[in-house]
Amino acid sequence: MAYVAGVDIGNNSTEVALGKVGESGEVTFLSSSLVRTSGIKGTLKNAFSVIDALDLALKKASLSRKELSSVLLNEATPVIGDVAMETITETVITESAMIGHNPSTPGGLGLGIGKTINIESLPGAATTDTFIVIVAGSVDFEKAALLINQAWERNLTISGAIVQKDDGVLIHNRLNRPIPIIDEVRYIDKIPLGMEAVVEVAEQGKSIDKLSNPYDIATLFKLTPEETRHVVPISRALMGTRSAVVIKTPRGDIQERRIAAGKVTLIGETSKAVVPVEDGAEVLMENVVKVAPLVEIQAEPGTNVGGMFENVRKVMAELTDQPVSDITVRDIIAVDTLVPRKVTGGLAGEFAMGNAVGLAAMVETQLLPMKRLARKLVEEMRVPVEVGGVEADMAIMGALTTPGTDKPLAILDLGGGSTDASIIDSKGEVNRVHLAGAGDMVTLLIDRELDIHDIDLAEKIKRNPLAKVETLFHARHEDGSVQFFSEHIDPRLFGRVVVVTDEGMIPVEPQEHLPKIMEVRRKAKEKVFVQNALRALRVVAPNGNIRLIDFVALVGGSALDFEIPKMLSDALVEYGVVVGRANVRGLEGPRNAVATGLLLANQHR
């Protein structure tokens, strides 16, 4: 009799299955554990999480380390996935500057057209011009209103105002006649003077009309067709705002330079293809399929995608003590998306939604680092440690302990950095594939598209449903159901969209409408999880035909997601495939498949 532990080191979590192996080889499972993986999968830093997970499983079984006969590690080559969002739309504004945001208290209503002028220069201004006054933060609201009223008495025409401080309403209430006023403009010193400008303020609850339409901007400023093309980013960025300003600046005053998105070279066993990132994700992935199986993927130096690839290779080389030249990118997934992008010429931090391609690259190294990890664990624990079976094979063996399953069976393991698929036929032969892109890419898409800049919050949005707090005593969940509370909700959450987690409600920042957040979350999962699942199954399916697969079991943490299993089921229903979460050993659910498989494989040695 011997006590043996199977250890599955994943991108995000490390799992252990602890069992007792009898003299005839039969396995009796005693306990299991799960902890967060420390470091990149397959590197020496994993030792910390492996030891923690082993100690936890041993404690559950009332055993000590010295009673362990051996530890089996999954034979997975280290994989690092990195993701880049490469914007493929270029914003070049040569003759316009803009201010477009939603201050809480703009003043007045309507549209004002005129030349920009410092408010303190009004006393000496000519009466023949129409002006938009610029009010710096150093000018008190009472003085500003007084100067404007005095200008009117001198027959000057004032059609609008741009104010640095939050004084729009205070100034408006002291004027003899109403004008549109936009306030809270931080970079007011950057506004050029003596230039044509248009100010627009909409009624409360509505958005601007003229300055969000490129043809209206062209009409107001008498633009040529080419100039109109340049102001499209401005009009797009101003859509949905309550107030805005557009200023015509000297030619060439505002320009933008950009680093090209770059080209990707796909090298297959028999052919290769060069694809510009600007062509979009669909074209890129079509070429990935055409040249498969891939041997290596290269990126154009000096470009955004080239920088991303080089960073991935450098990180892995440092972690594994291998030369950068020995590190190759072996797979890639690309998805089309929209991301907020700062508009050149903006004076209040304006953004426009730009087309982008999200890329996840996968780098593989040799088996050597896993052997180094095994030696490190032996030194730390004084227990025999060896690298066991191939990860995909072990996952199949573990999934087959699910009640109601039998060969042939396919599994999908949607992890953090990669998507794995394997299939075992009635003869016991296994076909497997390891692809780039999974949960981490979904999280990044959510973070970028919602402009959150908080990966932890984006991860929570990915994993949990949403709700809208409508009163201090009830919230409406995204499925339309209403939940009432006996005690009042935190007043800071009133009227907010929140993520409903086991730890409580977490507000989404910046504020967005619930339907938009839901749409971004679901589309991100469809673009990555569903696309990659279909791509993986086509590789492992007999003759590349998914219809020849009868059963697919989902394993790994993503199988516990509240909407992924249904998404995959909907995507595979047309192929007649039965899809469901595995229930490893009838006890663990979709978790612990690889760790369980390692123990089961050990009994046949």
Side-chain angles (χ1 to χ4, degrees):
M1 182 192 72
Y3 294 110
V4 180
V7 181
D8 172 24
I9 304 169
N11 290 294
N12 291 323
S13 60
T14 296
E15 300 177 358
V16 168
L18 179 64
K20 180 172 62 175
V21 181
E23 294 182 2
S24 58
E26 74 280 2
V27 176
T28 302
F29 288 91
L30 302 176
S31 67
S32 62
S33 65
L34 181 148
V35 301
R36 188 171 185 82
T37 297
S38 53
I40 300 296
K41 174 180 178 179
T43 62
L44 293 180
K45 286 187 178 180
N46 296 161
F48 299 106
S49 53
V50 171
I51 292 171
D52 286 345
L54 284 169
D55 285 345
L56 183 58
L58 288 167
K59 183 178 180 180
K60 290 180 180 179
S62 300
L63 296 172
S64 62
R65 290 184 192 175
K66 64 182 180 181
E67 293 178 88
L68 267 178
S69 298
S70 66
V71 174
L72 306 171
L73 302 181
N74 52 319
E75 188 179 304
T77 56
V79 175
I80 180 172
D82 194 13
V83 182
M85 303 298 296
E86 307 305 340
T87 305
I88 60 176
T89 50
E90 183 175 10
T91 302
V92 178
I93 304 170
T94 57
E95 293 196 41
S96 304
M98 58 178 286
I99 304 166
H101 62 147
N102 280 308
S104 56
T105 55
L109 297 172
L111 194 75
I113 306 172
K115 287 185 178 180
T116 54
I117 185 172
N118 188 309
I119 192 168
E120 295 183 300
S121 300
L122 282 177
T127 58
T128 55
D129 291 326
T130 300
F131 296 107
I132 301 290
V133 295
I134 310 300
V135 184
S138 59
V139 179
D140 180 80
F141 64 87
E142 289 184 326
K143 181 181 179 181
L146 178 63
L147 289 171
I148 294 172
N149 286 329
Q150 289 176 344
W152 279 329
E153 292 174 0
R154 294 179 49 243
N155 295 321
L156 263 67
T157 304
I158 310 296
S159 63
I162 305 170
V163 182
Q164 186 170 31
K165 295 196 296 187
D166 183 14
D167 289 344
V169 171
L170 294 173
I171 294 173
H172 180 265
N173 290 341
R174 289 163 173 77
L175 297 180
N176 296 332
R177 66 189 75 166
I179 59 172
I181 303 173
I182 182 172
D183 60 3
E184 301 179 40
V185 178
R186 179 182 302 177
Y187 306 115
I188 203 161
D189 57 307
K190 294 184 179 181
I191 297 177
L193 299 176
M195 298 296 162
E196 293 180 69
V198 179
V199 178
E200 184 176 8
V201 176
E203 294 180 24
Q204 191 165 356
K206 295 184 178 180
S207 58
I208 59 170
D209 178 45
K210 300 295 184 182
L211 295 183
S212 59
N213 180 5
Y215 299 116
D216 282 324
I217 295 176
T219 303
L220 292 166
F221 288 110
K222 301 179 177 58
L223 302 181
T224 65
E226 185 60 30
E227 290 170 334
T228 303
R229 187 187 303 276
H230 286 158
V231 301
V232 170
I234 287 178
S235 62
R236 289 178 62 194
L238 295 178
M239 288 179 180
T241 61
R242 187 185 167 195
S243 63
V245 175
V246 172
I247 304 165
K248 193 171 184 182
T249 64
R251 178 178 297 273
D253 190 50
I254 298 171
Q255 295 189 34
E256 177 183 84
R257 295 179 61 193
R258 68 163 186 166
I259 300 173
K263 299 176 182 177
V264 174
T265 302
L266 308 169
I267 303 173
E269 289 184 355
T270 58
S271 62
K272 78 173 185 177
V274 179
V275 186
V277 173
E278 287 91 341
D279 287 355
E282 185 175 348
V283 174
L284 187 54
M285 294 311 295
E286 285 176 357
N287 280 275
V288 168
V289 173
K290 286 180 183 177
V291 303
L294 287 166
V295 175
E296 185 179 359
I297 305 172
Q298 299 174 350
E300 181 181 1
T303 65
N304 279 327
V305 68
M308 185 202 83
F309 272 41
E310 189 60 26
N311 182 62
V312 172
R313 295 170 70 238
K314 282 180 62 179
V315 170
M316 180 53 81
E318 291 171 1
L319 290 170
T320 58
D321 291 331
Q322 296 185 66
V324 174
S325 57
D326 289 352
I327 309 294
T328 58
V329 178
R330 297 298 299 272
D331 188 51
I332 191 172
I333 181 174
V335 297
D336 289 318
T337 185
L338 291 172
V339 295
R341 187 166 184 234
K342 191 171 184 179
V343 177
T344 300
L347 297 173
E350 298 83 7
F351 287 82
M353 297 303 289
N355 294 325
V357 175
L359 300 171
M362 185 182 73
V363 177
E364 290 190 359
T365 63
Q366 303 302 314
L367 181 61
L368 176 63
M370 289 299 288
K371 291 183 178 179
R372 291 172 58 217
L373 176 59
R375 290 196 296 269
K376 174 71 172 177
L377 288 169
V378 171
E379 293 173 6
E380 294 289 335
M381 300 183 63
R382 304 299 177 186
V383 174
V385 180
E386 57 184 301
V387 180
V390 176
E391 186 170 354
D393 297 0
M394 298 302 99
I396 280 274
M397 194 167 290
L400 281 170
T401 64
T402 298
T405 60
D406 198 3
K407 305 172 187 176
L409 174 71
I411 65 159
L412 276 174
D413 187 352
L414 309 175
S418 62
T419 296
D420 301 335
S422 54
I423 187 169
I424 186 168
D425 61 21
S426 55
K427 299 177 182 178
E429 295 182 358
V430 177
N431 188 19
R432 67 189 77 88
V433 69
H434 194 53
L435 302 178
D440 292 345
M441 188 177 191
V442 173
T443 301
L444 187 82
L445 287 172
I446 293 171
D447 180 69
R448 294 294 179 84
E449 288 196 38
L450 293 177
D451 201 26
I452 295 173
H453 302 292
D454 185 340
I455 290 296
D456 289 338
L457 178 58
E459 181 74 14
K460 289 181 173 65
I461 292 173
K462 178 183 76 175
R463 293 179 176 274
N464 301 280
L466 303 164
K468 176 72 177 288
V469 178
E470 297 185 336
T471 72
L472 293 181
F473 289 92
H474 88 271
R476 187 177 300 275
H477 291 271
E478 65 176 63
D479 63 359
S481 62
V482 177
Q483 182 179 1
F484 293 92
F485 301 90
S486 56
E487 297 183 4
H488 72 77
I489 301 170
D490 186 337
R492 291 173 294 182
L493 300 180
F494 175 71
R496 305 290 299 276
V497 175
V498 296
V499 186
V500 183
T501 71
D502 293 338
E503 294 78 33
M505 296 180 178
I506 299 172
V508 176
E509 295 283 1
Q511 296 187 47
E512 278 290 358
H513 297 300
L514 189 147
K516 179 182 178 180
I517 302 172
M518 287 175 57
E519 180 184 20
V520 169
R521 183 193 69 211
R522 289 175 177 172
K523 283 188 175 180
K525 290 179 180 179
E526 288 170 357
K527 291 173 183 176
V528 180
F529 283 129
V530 175
Q531 178 186 183
N532 243 8
L534 294 175
R535 187 163 71 112
L537 289 175
R538 289 191 182 101
V539 174
V540 301
N543 301 319
N545 188 351
I546 296 178
R547 295 183 186 279
L548 298 179
I549 299 176
D550 294 323
F551 299 96
V552 173
L554 305 179
V555 300
S558 294
L560 295 170
D561 187 276
F562 70 104
E563 56 190 353
I564 289 175
K566 184 178 185 304
M567 285 183 174
L568 292 176
S569 180
D570 291 343
L572 292 169
V573 67
E574 63 178 284
Y575 299 97
V577 178
V578 178
V579 184
R581 293 188 185 96
N583 187 15
V584 176
R585 293 188 268 120
L587 181 68
E588 300 284 353
R591 291 284 194 181
N592 212 253
V594 173
T596 294
L598 285 166
L599 284 188
L600 294 175
N602 183 73
Q603 71 179 343
H604 300 302
R605 294 186 177 188

